[in-house]
Amino acid sequence: GLGDMKRLQLLQLQSNRITGMPNVPRLNDIKHGLSTYVTDCGVPSDFDEALACENCTMCCNAHDDCYPQQETKVSKSGLKDYGAFSGVLAVFFVVLCCMVTLLLYVIGRYKDSGTNLTKSTRRRMRLKDDIYALSAIGNDSVY
């Protein structure tokens, strides 16, 4: 088969609906780069299940979009896919919002703790403010 061909340098099998992947060892991609071994192993697939190809250098999907078969930053971080990354990001955002809300609550309580005034003190302060306002703008002002 194809795996027995010792001088094989380029194999492009995309867009041909081959369902069984040939057993081909990793080809030397120095000459042709990421286009050395291309198959229909991308998602979304024309098949019920996407084809598995471990040694492919590039995978193409049902829309004829091809992408290199490389590890992404998300997979390097230990997450399965971008869906898992989105879930982790959403949980992080919710936790961050809760922490900010808690921090603002604590700061508000701390600021308010120094202003615990009795009702009579507040009433006296309000009366003083009213008297000051009237003296500043005058009794006959429209304001």
Side-chain angles (χ1 to χ4, degrees):
L2 290 173
D4 298 330
M5 301 174 80
K6 301 296 179 204
R7 298 187 61 177
L8 184 63
Q9 294 182 3
L10 181 68
L11 182 60
Q12 296 187 336
L13 301 174
Q14 75 272 20
S15 301
N16 61 20
R17 297 180 138 308
I18 292 177
T19 56
M21 297 307 302
N23 187 13
V24 176
R26 182 82 181 178
L27 299 177
N28 186 349
D29 57 359
I30 292 174
K31 184 174 182 181
H32 300 285
L34 294 175
S35 299
T36 303
Y37 182 16
V38 185
T39 63
D40 292 326
C41 54
V43 176
S45 178
D46 280 330
F47 310 106
D48 292 336
E49 284 189 37
L51 301 176
C53 184
E54 292 182 25
N55 294 325
C56 294
T57 56
M58 189 170 292
C59 288
C60 298
N61 63 21
H63 303 296
D64 290 327
D65 295 325
C66 299
Y67 53 91
Q69 202 53 347
Q70 298 172 330
E71 259 194 317
T72 63
K73 289 180 182 180
V74 169
S75 63
K76 285 179 184 176
S77 70
L79 297 172
K80 182 180 174 186
D81 56 14
Y82 284 99
F85 174 73
S86 299
V88 168
L89 190 62
V91 167
F92 173 76
F93 183 72
V94 168
V95 168
L96 181 66
C97 288
C98 290
M99 289 175 60
V100 167
T101 302
L102 180 65
L103 179 67
L104 291 174
Y105 174 76
V106 168
I107 289 172
R109 293 283 294 197
Y110 177 75
K111 280 185 171 182
D112 290 343
S113 67
T115 59
N116 285 336
L117 303 175
T118 62
K119 284 185 178 181
S120 62
T121 307
R122 281 191 208 142
R123 196 174 310 126
R124 245 190 340 245
M125 288 178 69
R126 192 174 306 125
L127 184 61
K128 276 182 158 179
D129 287 344
D130 289 345
I131 293 170
Y132 173 76
L134 284 173
S135 68
I137 59 173
N139 286 335
D140 56 347
S141 173
V142 294
Y143 296 106

